[in-house]
């Protein structure tokens, strides 16, 4: 077996992700959280009473591409956080403390994004921020996906 210090960080990242997804409970966590994230992203971005067909017709192509990509990344990140939290050594208070803090920070960020983003967009819309987001939607989507990748990597 090759020593780990000779392996590049992307190889270690994919190895770690493979270890997490090799166990069925974490695959189940990833699938459930990805499905829940997709549902919430569609539900929270639709108008009240809007049907699926109406949402699909009215959503931009960027939004249609963002939802599956973000859902998959959120599912993988949730499964990785669950793995880290579950496998933190009980004898190491330092590791357990940081695994719990990391999981809590991730869940708080997801909840605040899902709950507060319509409020923030409406509030910032008064200042013209909504037009900035709509004009630069591909850049904001790329930034969001990049932040999700970074959170998955670290």
């Amino acid at each position: 077996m090759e020593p780990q210090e000779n392996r590049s960080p992307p190889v270690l990242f994919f190895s770690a992700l493979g270890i997490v997804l090799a166990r069925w409970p974490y695959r189940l966590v990833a699938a459930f959280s990805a499905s829940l994230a997709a549902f919430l992203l569609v539900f929270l971005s639709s108008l009240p009473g809007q049907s699926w067909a109406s949402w699909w017709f009215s959503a931009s192509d960027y939004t249609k591409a963002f939802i599956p990509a973000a859902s998959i990344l959120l599912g993988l990140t949730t499964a990785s956080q669950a793995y880290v939290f579950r496998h933190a050594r009980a004898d190491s208070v330092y590791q357990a403390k940081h695994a719990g803090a990391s999981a809590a920070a991730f869940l708080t960020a997801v909840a605040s994004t899902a709950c507060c983003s319509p409020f923030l967009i409406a509030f910032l819309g008064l200042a013209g921020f909504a037009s900035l987001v709509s004009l630069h939607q591909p850049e904001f989507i790329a930034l969001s996906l990049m932040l999700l990748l970074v959170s998955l990597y670290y």
Side-chain angles (χ1 to χ4, degrees):
M1 187 168 159
E2 183 180 70
Q4 286 191 355
E5 54 269 4
N6 292 337
R7 298 168 75 180
S8 65
V11 172
L12 292 175
F13 166 71
F14 287 117
S15 297
L17 200 55
I19 290 169
V20 171
L21 294 177
R23 298 190 171 132
W24 71 268
Y26 300 107
R27 286 194 304 256
L28 186 65
V29 166
F32 176 75
S33 60
S35 301
L36 181 65
F39 171 76
L40 288 175
L41 286 170
V42 170
F43 180 74
L44 294 174
S45 67
S46 65
L47 299 171
Q50 187 176 22
S51 68
W52 168 253
S54 174
W55 180 87
W56 188 259
F57 179 74
S58 64
S60 71
D61 291 337
Y62 296 120
T63 303
K64 292 175 192 174
F66 173 75
I67 287 178
S71 299
I72 290 169
L73 288 174
L74 278 169
L76 291 174
T77 304
T78 305
S80 299
Q81 291 294 329
Y83 182 87
V84 167
F85 187 72
R86 170 70 175 91
H87 289 88
R89 301 284 179 225
D91 57 341
S92 174
V93 175
Y94 179 78
Q95 285 181 348
K97 179 178 144 184
H98 286 289
S102 177
F106 171 72
L107 293 176
T108 303
V110 170
S112 66
T113 300
C115 297
C116 299
S117 63
F119 170 75
L120 285 175
I121 291 298
F123 179 73
L124 293 173
L126 298 174
F129 189 74
S131 64
L132 176 71
V133 171
S134 65
L135 286 174
H136 300 286
Q137 190 177 16
E139 291 87 359
F140 278 101
I141 286 174
L143 180 65
S144 298
L145 292 176
M146 191 177 313
L147 288 173
L148 279 171
L149 278 171
V150 168
S151 70
L152 179 62
Y153 183 77
Y154 288 104

